[in-house]
Structures are given as structure tokens and as C-alpha cells.
Amino acid sequence: MKIRMIALAGVAVLAMTGSALAGQATGWYVDLSGGYDHLGQITVQNNVTLAENKATTENGGLITGAWGYKFHDHVRVEGEIGWVDHSFGQAKVQITSFLLNAAYDVPLSPKWDFSFGAGAGTGLGEINTGVPGILVPEDTHAGYMFQGFAGFAYSIRRNVDITFDWRYRDLALNKSFGTVPNGGAHIKDTNEQAWMIGVRWYPWYAPAPPPPPPPPPPPPPPPPPPPPPVKTFIVFFDFNKSNLTAEAQSVVTEAVKVAKANGFVKVLVTGHTDTVGSDSYNQGLSVRRAESVKDEMVRQGMDGSGISIEGKSFHDPLVPTGPGVREPQNRRAVIDLGGM
């Protein structure tokens, strides 16, 4: 006799919470797994004699497919369809299952998860024990089914995992199969242990975009403006002299250099004297000093038409003194670049 068990929808709840590691896939997924399945001995009780026998099975292969959703807190919920076939002599057991599973994935690293969970449902079964006259082929019954599982998942890509699972599955039939010619038999629980390998794919998973790059550093502050050019130069003279000393000539040279570099085309040269001598004499001396400076500036390339001169005798001393005092700092000519 043949057993075919089709497990219909059931519910299992696993309440666990946590926070996902960065980079782990979440959202909708599909899962395809297959592997080695061991079916324990089936208890067959003759409905007439009530004698019980153990039907030994051979190992088979279990194939499952699932469609589920993984939440950000590690919890997965999925619907699973599975099929397994066990043959032993003339007998055969076939199991097709549909279970609703809940699982929790414990992140061990960005690549590895440890998973555990459970599932439940109801099923429809058909068994052929190979015992003539006890069970008729194609006799079917429904029964409650559940499973527990644990295993590991390894992420080979951001949205593809390889899974390795151990499962314990139980179909609680406790039903009578067949009626002729010997009254049939009572089939009790069947249980399986399976070792599976599979692929879990998240087709719509898109990892979070990388954080935006930090803003560029602010541009360095502009360099401070250059200091304004020196506009005033002072040329000193010896007592009662209007000719330029070597030191005075170097001052005039520097003034010409600054005037040319900064485009000064108007220059005012003002001559001064100390308080020795009359006002009229010192007025003439102050003008001669201003002229000496102008002549040197023209000799060095300045346009004489843009250079004005004036004399102030001793009426604007740099160092105030009484009359008749030889004060060196008052014997001077002031070059004012940009002056009128």
C-alpha cells in the first residue's frame, strides 16, 4: 500500500526580535532546498487482530520550495511545499507537504546566520506497506503535520544565501487504511529527519544606498589684501643745503619705484627748513629743496608735468622748536605720491 501525505496550511509562531546586521538582505524571497531524508519505522496495527507491526523504511530524498518574507528584526515567515519518496521492497511512502513556517535568523557575522524555527499544517496521506490484503492501494487520509528546524545560512551575494538545515517532521495520521479483505489496518505517527542544502534568493532586495560623501571642506579664506603702498617719503638735507645726499637719493629712488609700480601720476613735493635765518631766505631754500627732489625724479623717468612743488619755509616743522634752532628733521622735503 502507498502513502501520500499532502499537508495543508497551518500556523507556527516564533516570537523573537533583534536588529539586522548592515548588509543583510530583507524583504520577499524564494527558497529551493533538497537533501537526505530518513523516515522512522511506521506502526501498522491490523484492524481485525489488533496486532501491531513495525514497517521499516529506506532513506529518501526531500525537496522543498518556499515563498516568504524576512523582516528587519530577523524574523522570517514563509509558506513551504515539500515532497519526499521512501521505497522499501514493494512498499512505498510518498509525502507532499505544504507548511506555514516561522523562523528567526541570528546574525553571526555579515556573511553567516544561524536559523531556527518551526512550522505546522494538516495533511493528506496514502500508504502502501507491501503487506497483501491489509491495505488497499490509493487509500488516503488527512492528518496534522508539524516540523522543527535549525541550520545555517551563508550569503554568497547581497541577495543570495546558501542554506544548510536539519529538520524534524512528523505526520500524525492515526487513521485506518483499507477495508478488504482483512479489515484494513491502523497507521500511526510517521516521523522524519532530514539534512538539507538550499538556495534562498531575494529578487527585489536593494541594499541601502551608501551615505552621501561628506561635504567638501570650505574653501580657504582669501588672502588678506596687500597693504596699501607707501605714499609718503621724506628726504632730509644738510644744514643750509638743497643738494641730495646719497641717503636722500636712495629715498627718492624708492619713491620713484613705488610710483611707477602703482601708477601714481600725480606727485607733490613740499620743501621745509629749520628756523635758522629769515623767513624769505628759508622760503627760497625750501623751494630749492623741492626742486632738487623733482629733478631727480624726472631724471629717473617720472613725467615732470605731473610733479608739483611748493616751499613752506619754517612754518610747518616736523619737530617744533623756537627760532634759530638747527633741527635736522625740519630740514626736509616730503614726497606725497598721488598728491595734487
Side-chain angles (χ1 to χ4, degrees):
M1 187 173 285
K2 202 176 190 181
I3 297 182
R4 182 169 297 153
M5 293 167 268
I6 303 175
L8 305 177
V11 178
V13 177
L14 183 63
M16 301 291 290
T17 58
S19 59
L21 286 179
Q24 291 184 330
T26 56
W28 292 104
Y29 65 85
V30 292
D31 186 293
L32 181 63
S33 299
Y36 168 87
D37 185 278
H38 172 73
L39 180 65
Q41 288 185 326
I42 301 174
T43 300
V44 182
Q45 183 185 61
N46 191 298
N47 286 344
V48 176
T49 66
L50 301 182
E52 291 188 355
N53 295 289
K54 295 290 186 179
T56 302
T57 67
E58 292 184 357
N59 299 321
L62 173 62
I63 299 174
T64 64
W67 171 267
Y69 190 88
K70 181 175 180 179
F71 299 90
H72 287 279
D73 58 0
H74 306 307
V75 174
R76 286 187 292 111
V77 179
E78 65 184 23
E80 177 192 280
I81 298 175
W83 180 86
V84 64
D85 175 76
H86 293 273
S87 299
F88 47 102
Q90 296 180 353
K92 181 176 289 187
V93 175
Q94 290 182 341
I95 303 172
T96 304
S97 61
F98 180 76
L99 300 172
L100 184 62
N101 301 323
Y104 182 70
D105 298 330
V106 181
L108 304 178
S109 75
K111 291 285 189 179
W112 284 97
D113 282 350
F114 172 71
S115 305
F116 61 94
T122 59
L124 178 67
E126 182 183 321
I127 299 178
N128 185 342
T129 65
V131 180
I134 294 181
L135 300 179
V136 296
E138 309 303 332
D139 198 7
T140 59
H141 284 286
Y144 171 74
M145 188 172 186
F146 70 91
Q147 72 171 351
F149 52 87
F152 295 91
Y154 179 76
S155 177
I156 60 174
R157 295 180 58 185
R158 295 189 69 91
N159 65 337
V160 179
D161 296 342
I162 297 294
T163 61
F164 309 90
D165 293 333
W166 167 84
R167 305 188 185 201
Y168 178 84
R169 293 156 48 96
D170 191 284
L171 178 59
L173 282 175
N174 203 24
K175 303 289 184 178
S176 291
F177 283 73
T179 58
V180 293
N182 296 324
H186 201 80
I187 304 299
K188 297 185 178 180
D189 292 351
T190 63
N191 60 78
E192 307 164 86
Q193 294 190 65
W195 292 263
M196 310 281 288
I197 185 170
V199 177
R200 186 179 301 139
W201 176 40
Y202 297 80
W204 297 289
Y205 171 69
V230 178
K231 297 179 61 177
T232 302
F233 296 84
I234 300 178
V235 178
F236 293 100
F237 295 85
D238 291 335
F239 177 72
N240 199 28
K241 300 291 183 179
S242 61
N243 60 300
L244 298 176
T245 64
E247 182 178 357
Q249 197 161 7
S250 66
V251 174
V252 174
T253 300
E254 182 64 23
V256 171
K257 179 180 177 181
V258 172
K260 290 180 177 180
N262 294 274
F264 291 116
V265 294
K266 297 293 184 179
V267 179
L268 174 64
V269 182
T270 304
H272 301 269
T273 67
D274 57 22
T275 58
V276 176
S278 67
D279 182 21
S280 60
Y281 178 82
N282 282 300
Q283 176 64 28
L285 179 60
S286 64
V287 170
R288 290 193 298 274
R289 288 173 174 172
E291 287 177 340
S292 295
V293 172
K294 175 181 179 179
D295 291 344
E296 180 60 22
M297 296 182 77
V298 171
R299 190 187 71 80
Q300 294 189 26
M302 295 287 292
D303 183 2
S305 63
I307 303 175
S308 302
I309 63 170
E310 66 177 352
K312 289 194 173 182
S313 184
F314 47 65
H315 299 295
D316 188 14
L318 184 63
V319 178
T321 66
V325 177
R326 296 185 178 187
E327 173 53 53
Q329 295 190 66
N330 289 338
R331 300 192 296 265
R332 70 196 190 280
V334 178
I335 304 172
D336 183 12
L337 302 180
M340 298 298 294

